[in-house]
Amino acid sequence: IGVSEEEIVLDLRYYTEGVIRVEDASDDPAFSMKDIEVGQSLSATVIRRDDGNGRLLLSLKEAVSVLAWDKL
């Protein structure tokens, strides 16, 4: 749905939106939220069901870690 310097808002095609905060996006110092484009497909894990605004709080960092273990 949208990308800002602070967060990525995702349309989950569910009852709510998902949000990835910048601190949950990447550990890579070269990463920039500008690298994410609207419409891009992302893999993320749920870290909290409600961020206080009724949205799912998601993490790209945790998803990368899980996917790395799955490849082993």
Side-chain angles (χ1 to χ4, degrees):
I1 292 177
V3 179
S4 71
E5 291 182 18
E6 292 86 29
E7 64 184 18
I8 303 164
V9 180
L10 305 171
D11 176 7
L12 301 177
R13 299 182 186 176
Y14 196 55
Y15 70 95
T16 189
E17 296 173 345
V19 167
I20 302 170
R21 298 177 302 187
V22 66
E23 59 266 22
D24 296 316
S26 178
D27 284 327
D28 183 354
F31 174 81
S32 170
M33 295 294 258
K34 294 176 184 176
D35 296 335
I36 305 296
E37 298 178 10
V38 172
Q40 181 178 345
S41 179
L42 301 172
S43 294
T45 57
V46 176
I47 54 177
R48 192 173 334 146
R49 290 185 184 175
D50 187 348
D51 70 345
N53 294 314
R55 306 178 299 181
L56 292 176
L57 193 55
L58 307 170
S59 174
L60 289 175
K61 289 191 301 190
E62 286 190 27
V64 168
S65 177
V66 169
L67 291 171
W69 276 106
D70 287 347
K71 287 183 182 181
L72 294 177

